[in-house]
Amino acid sequence: MQTLKEQTDAKIAAGRKANPEFMKGVDAIIEEAKAFEKGSHAIKVGEKAPGFELPNAKGENVSVEALLEKGPLVITFYRGSWCPYCNLQFKALQSRLGEIQARGATLIGISPEVPDGSLSESEISKMEFTVLSDQNAKVASQYGVAWEVPEFLQEHIRVDRKLDLEKINNGNGSILPIPATFIVDSNGIVKWTYVNVDYRTRSEPEEIIEALKNLSK
């Protein structure tokens, strides 16, 4: 079975072949973002994770405090069900979900998508973990991973992808989370993080599972 990196690398390679100019533009944006340390303000290992209460795909409010009563959390911020890299990531996580749950952990996916019919019917929402709606990326901001998307990428999403993020997110369409994952123990303390402003690169499920194993050491 391919690793998640192998899958995303293949998608990036296909994108470079199909639309080389766009991918060059993305590369330039990512390099600039890295130069300005976008994501450097994300909460760190050892810090208390901010609490929150967000609606799930059915519009029912879910609080992080209630989830922590069951055990540690794997909190993953993602751009939306429309993002092909997010779908690859969550398919990979779904395939290892049994191992994550065997460690007593709950997997949560958080995006700005509004909890309406489109989110309820999305491929990600039909997977076997909790999907929450963070409109205007307020919780992402608390975790230090909200990013104002450059106009170059906004135009691609709007024109080439024909997506109206203001409608999809029922709010600000220019703010998206940096894809990031936080492992929070049952006391609400951050124990592991993965933050990368390059939305095409994600943490491997294997890394998450190893980090969960270390919680009990």
Side-chain angles (χ1 to χ4, degrees):
M1 179 182 291
Q2 283 187 314
T3 65
L4 179 56
K5 185 178 187 306
E6 287 170 340
Q7 294 177 63
T8 53
D9 282 352
K11 190 156 199 67
I12 292 169
R16 293 194 192 286
K17 185 175 181 180
N19 197 344
E21 290 305 312
F22 169 70
M23 293 299 274
K24 284 181 183 177
V26 173
D27 290 341
I29 285 171
I30 297 304
E31 284 306 310
E32 182 180 359
K34 285 180 178 178
F36 284 97
E37 297 186 321
K38 295 293 184 183
S40 63
H41 296 298
I43 56 173
K44 305 293 191 297
V45 170
E47 294 182 353
K48 184 79 172 179
F52 57 81
E53 183 174 286
L54 294 172
N56 61 19
K58 297 178 181 178
E60 303 163 338
N61 284 338
V62 176
S63 74
V64 70
E65 290 80 9
L67 292 170
L68 282 172
E69 290 179 2
K70 303 175 184 178
L73 303 179
V74 178
I75 301 173
T76 296
F77 289 90
Y78 68 104
R79 301 198 302 161
S81 61
W82 50 268
C83 169
Y85 296 96
C86 299
N87 278 280
L88 283 176
Q89 177 187 21
F90 280 108
K91 284 179 182 177
L93 286 169
Q94 174 71 30
S95 71
R96 306 292 297 275
L97 187 57
E99 294 169 82
I100 292 172
Q101 293 174 337
R103 294 287 163 182
T106 299
L107 175 62
I108 304 170
I110 301 177
S111 84
E113 286 185 88
V114 65
D116 62 4
S118 61
L119 176 57
S120 298
E121 293 302 314
S122 75
E123 185 175 2
I124 289 175
S125 73
K126 292 179 179 179
M127 295 182 189
E128 299 168 4
F129 47 81
T130 303
V131 176
L132 301 178
S133 174
D134 177 27
Q135 291 176 55
N136 292 314
K138 291 179 180 178
V139 173
S141 294
Q142 290 179 297
Y143 278 69
V145 294
W147 185 39
E148 184 164 0
V149 180
E151 177 56 33
F152 175 82
L153 287 176
Q154 288 189 51
E155 183 179 10
H156 169 71
I157 293 168
R158 184 172 58 247
V159 177
D160 299 334
R161 298 290 309 279
K162 295 180 171 56
L163 295 172
D164 183 348
L165 288 187
E166 287 189 13
K167 181 178 179 180
I168 291 171
N169 297 344
N170 191 33
N172 193 328
S174 64
I175 303 293
L176 292 175
I178 296 169
T181 298
F182 301 89
I183 292 180
V184 180
D185 71 10
S186 55
N187 295 314
I189 304 301
V190 178
K191 293 295 185 179
W192 183 87
T193 68
Y194 178 92
V195 180
N196 192 330
V197 72
D198 188 345
Y199 65 86
R200 302 166 297 182
T201 304
R202 309 298 173 95
S203 56
E204 287 287 341
E206 184 63 34
E207 295 172 326
I208 292 170
I209 293 165
E210 283 301 313
L212 287 172
K213 289 178 181 178
N214 289 333
L215 288 184
S216 58
K217 292 182 179 179

